[in-house]
Amino acid sequence: MHPGWRRAATIHGSARLTRDVDVVYSRRPENLLRIVAALGPFEPYLRGAPRGLPFRWDVDTIAQGLNFTLTTTLGDIDLFGEITGGGGFDDLRPRAHPVRVFDRDVLCLDLPMLIRVKRAAGRPRDLDALAELEAIADELDR
Amino acid sequence: MSESVSRDPVVEAYKAGVDRTLIRERLARTPAERVEDLVALARFAEELREAGDAARRAP
């Protein structure tokens, strides 16, 4: 798993406060087992869904879905099997680099790729964030 | 940056409002420090939110 664009934006220098973590995850079976084990203790549930739905956090659920917006006792986590403009984990892996945070290495999209997927998402509410990312790119080019 | 990106006039308009001093300040810190700062800021924001909730509940 690796952090997707929002936390990656922080790593690249964004000053924006975000409340969730986006993760693009590998769909390989062994990784689905890891995700279930890693998040299971933190009571993952579908964000915004009414309580009491028969949602089970297990490998079958992840395998039958793709992208999940979750609430957990740690906070909100979005799990992406694919992202618009970037594809899946294996597509993005060459554009992700290890960054040391909290005493562990996490994979983080490089800035041009981050900008590309942000643009591809095409959400009007992201325009501020996209402008900031491009301004960061400008600053790095100075 | 080795990869150039095409310019979108809408995004360029939004860039006029970006605080470059904040960006330079962030870039002066390590990636780990940037994440740690975000966590601290998120905690602060949460404390403010809880304080606001408590104030609204107070008689």
Side-chain angles (χ1 to χ4, degrees), chain A residues 7 10-13 16-17 95 99-102 112 119 127-128 130-131 134-135 137-139 141-142, chain B residues 1 3 6-8 10-12 14-15 18 20 23-24 26-27 31-32 34-35 38-39 41-42 45-46:
Chain A
R7 200 64 80 220
T10 300
I11 288 169
H12 285 299
R16 300 172 70 82
L17 176 62
R95 301 299 301 266
V99 177
R100 192 81 179 161
V101 289
F102 301 120
R119 281 184 172 187
L127 283 169
D128 273 336
L130 184 53
E134 294 198 6
D138 292 345
E139 289 295 317
D141 278 339
R142 288 175 71 215
Chain B
M1 296 289 298
E3 184 176 329
S6 62
R7 299 298 178 185
D8 179 323
V10 175
V11 175
E12 291 299 310
Y14 273 80
K15 278 165 71 173
V18 174
R20 301 275 177 151
I23 288 176
R24 290 170 196 143
R26 307 308 312 147
L27 291 177
R34 295 170 199 162
V35 175
L38 176 73
V39 171
L41 183 59
E46 183 64 16

